Amino acid sequence: MRVPLTTYRRLLVIYLGPQRSRVLALGALLLGTIGLQLLNPQILRFFIDTAREGGSSRTLTLAALAFFGIALLTQAVSIAATYLSEQVGWSATNALRSDLTLHCLKLDLTFHHQHTPGALIERIDGDVNALANFFSQFVVRVLGSMLLLGGVLVVLWWEDWRVGGLLTAFVVISLLLLSRVRDVAVPHWAAARQISADLFGFLEERLSGTEDLRSSGAEAHTLRRLAEWMRRVLRTERRARLMGMTLWSVTTALFVAGNALAFLISAYLFNRGAITLGTVYLVFYYTELLRQPLDQLIDQFEDLQRASASIGRIQELRELRSAVVDGPGAELPGGALSVEFADVTFGYSPDAPVLHELSLFVAPGHVLGLLGRTGSGKTTITRLLSRLYDPGGGAIRLGGVDLRDTRLEQLRQRVGVVTQQVDLFQASVRDNLTFFDRGIPDARIAAVLDLLGLGEWQRGLANGLDTPLSADGVGLSAGEAQLLAFARVFLLDPGLVILDEASSRLDPATERLIERAVDLLLRPEDGRRRTAIIVAHRLETIQRADEIAILEAGRVCEYGARSQLARDRDSRFARLLRTGLEEVLA
């Protein structure tokens, strides 16, 4: 994949623009280094010619001290430039890494189902790391190398036009050859980055399933697969590095020829008396000095090959757009929200619809019990209400507003979801409850925890709300984790609450605590009611429902008031009550 020059320029402008002062300082340091490198050979030439002519010891001593002083100053300036370039590189890559992470978080679930977390980590971290040198040194080093090349050639032309002309021709031929081979390794580095991403995806998948792998005795199979992946990584990266060595091989051959030319022309001119021995050394030194900028150009071009592969993959990711587009900003009404599905059709893939022209209506403050076998579309309805997906046909409205017309941020502030799978972060209790929103006061958090019966638990924590939780919830019971999920919704104070199997895996005692939390959530003590959709298997959970909807193969096969359906002995709901919800709907 050949990356357009506009892409390089855009990245540099976006991520180096905020560091303009650092970049300018880095450029000044590198220019100072170039000037010092051009100066020291002149002192050496003076030292050699003065010594041959029998110059005084004082003069030679001063020249030697000047040489060492400039050498030390050159090293000091180089160290400062290296330090500053690392700062520039890390700041730029961290900013890019942050932007890519946010971009991925905003992409729809279809994208995340198609890309493993491991592959995304390699894109966000591995590919971005490959750009550190591109941001910190590429432009400055390339410009600096070109300036050093130009400075050396100007000095050589000044010394003798024949030396200057010959070595100028050498430099031009070298640059032409290098430009021809600079892209030879790009596709191989792109393949290496892709295979690395695939390996990370494999590792993430296996590590997340450690418990199942160990219980089924699949460790040996996993290690065999890992060995296969590592062999593929070795072959791909070895090929990329070998192709990248083409530049190094060409450079070595060129400088063998360059040194030979420098010795030949210097010997010829010295024998004719056109130049002094000091100038012979000067020509040799400058010829060797030419290697440094050319080597740097080679290194930068080789790094650019790796960067080009990463930039191409990063740009490919940046150009992806979510199928769920933020709305123009229609305001959702306050309080409890009505819910309307109007002839909604949806499928996770176009050829396999899950919902078929589904229509439902839930009045503000009412509770809908959603029943159906596994695969009937219950969880899909909850995902559509959170606008994790958009319907393929029809419309979904909250409070009379089409979900596609409101802002995603407002929608997700007005819809609270509790599922049986509670995701916790490796962060403090406070951050886990507020989703890192520091605007929620601690007093309100403590009040919610007291209301849910977690007050004693919170007061027993070593550091209170600052106590860290692990990502897997070690130290928390299933009931405590579920109550923390309810606390999140209480703090959100939404107009619509979705409970998706929120108590299906709890023991009876813990379930009673959850049922109390549900009552408090749907019927707050201040008398306000919230609209709710409850997906459940258990009879106790749906007793608070005002209406019941039974799904079958993505269609509503029965809908009505719970009490009315329960009295109608011929209704599906009444038969479910007689048979037992758990047995029929499992």
Side-chain angles (χ1 to χ4, degrees), residues 341-360:
F341 279 69
D343 297 322
V344 171
T345 298
F346 173 77
Y348 295 102
S349 59
D351 55 346
V354 177
L355 301 180
H356 306 268
E357 298 182 348
L358 183 140
S359 294
L360 278 174

Side-chain angles (χ1 to χ4, degrees), residues 14-77:
I14 292 173
Y15 295 105
L16 292 187
Q19 303 185 78
R20 191 176 297 106
S21 59
R22 286 181 182 172
V23 174
L24 290 175
L26 179 60
L29 288 172
L30 291 175
L31 286 174
T33 303
I34 291 169
L36 293 171
Q37 287 176 310
L38 292 174
L39 178 59
N40 244 359
Q42 299 289 342
I43 296 175
L44 279 175
R45 193 254 302 265
F46 173 80
F47 184 93
I48 293 171
D49 288 342
T50 302
R52 279 178 55 85
E53 294 169 1
S56 67
S57 299
R58 183 174 181 277
T59 302
L60 293 174
T61 301
L62 289 175
L65 290 174
F67 176 83
F68 286 117
I70 291 174
L72 290 173
L73 182 58
T74 303
Q75 289 301 312
V77 173

Side-chain angles (χ1 to χ4, degrees), residues 126-185:
D127 282 330
V128 172
N129 278 342
L131 300 187
N133 185 69
F134 171 72
F135 283 124
S136 64
Q137 298 187 26
F138 180 76
V139 174
V140 177
R141 290 288 184 190
V142 168
L143 290 177
S145 298
M146 297 300 289
L147 286 174
L148 181 56
L149 276 176
V152 170
L153 292 177
V154 166
V155 173
L156 289 174
W157 274 91
W158 181 267
E159 294 296 334
D160 188 281
W161 66 269
R162 289 160 291 191
V163 174
L166 187 62
L167 290 179
T168 298
F170 163 72
V171 169
V172 170
I173 293 171
S174 299
L175 290 175
L176 287 174
L177 284 173
L178 295 176
S179 66
R180 294 292 300 271
V181 299
R182 74 178 185 88
D183 287 331
V184 69

Side-chain angles (χ1 to χ4, degrees), residues 202-312:
F202 169 82
L203 289 172
E204 182 274 332
E205 183 181 84
R206 294 307 186 273
L207 290 174
S208 63
T210 299
E211 186 175 344
D212 291 335
L213 288 173
R214 294 178 65 184
S215 63
S216 59
E219 296 99 325
H221 170 73
T222 300
L223 289 176
R224 283 195 298 272
R225 288 293 309 280
L226 177 61
E228 293 172 6
W229 276 107
M230 294 305 296
R231 280 194 291 271
R232 292 174 63 185
V233 170
L234 172 63
R235 287 195 297 269
T236 308
E237 291 212 358
R238 182 172 56 196
R239 191 179 304 117
R241 292 186 183 280
L242 286 173
M243 295 305 295
M245 287 294 288
T246 303
L247 285 169
W248 180 85
S249 301
V250 170
T251 307
T252 302
L254 285 171
F255 273 95
V256 169
N259 283 327
L261 288 174
F263 279 122
L264 287 173
I265 190 68
S266 296
Y268 170 77
L269 293 174
F270 180 75
N271 287 331
R272 290 175 60 88
I275 58 175
T276 65
L277 183 60
T279 305
V280 170
Y281 179 79
L282 186 75
V283 171
F284 171 74
Y285 190 102
Y286 276 141
T287 303
E288 279 293 299
L289 189 58
L290 285 174
R291 181 171 191 137
Q292 178 182 331
L294 284 175
D295 273 345
Q296 283 192 354
L297 287 172
I298 299 309
D299 289 341
Q300 294 305 316
F301 284 140
E302 187 176 353
D303 187 79
L304 184 62
Q305 291 178 350
R306 291 191 290 268
S308 296
S310 294
I311 287 173

Side-chain angles (χ1 to χ4, degrees), residues 364-429:
H366 280 223
V367 178
L368 174 68
L370 203 57
L371 306 176
R373 294 180 183 275
T374 300
S376 60
K378 305 186 300 297
T379 298
T380 297
I381 286 176
T382 67
R383 290 172 176 169
L384 290 172
L385 283 169
S386 296
R387 211 177 166 214
L388 300 177
Y389 300 92
D390 277 338
I396 303 172
R397 302 182 183 92
L398 288 183
V401 177
D402 193 310
L403 294 189
R404 288 168 289 201
D405 292 335
T406 190
R407 305 285 297 193
L408 287 168
E409 182 179 1
Q410 187 193 23
L411 171 65
R412 288 161 189 171
Q413 287 291 322
R414 303 284 286 123
V415 178
V417 182
V418 182
T419 67
Q420 59 180 307
Q421 178 63 42
V422 180
D423 290 316
L424 297 173
F425 304 101
Q426 192 167 340
S428 67
V429 172

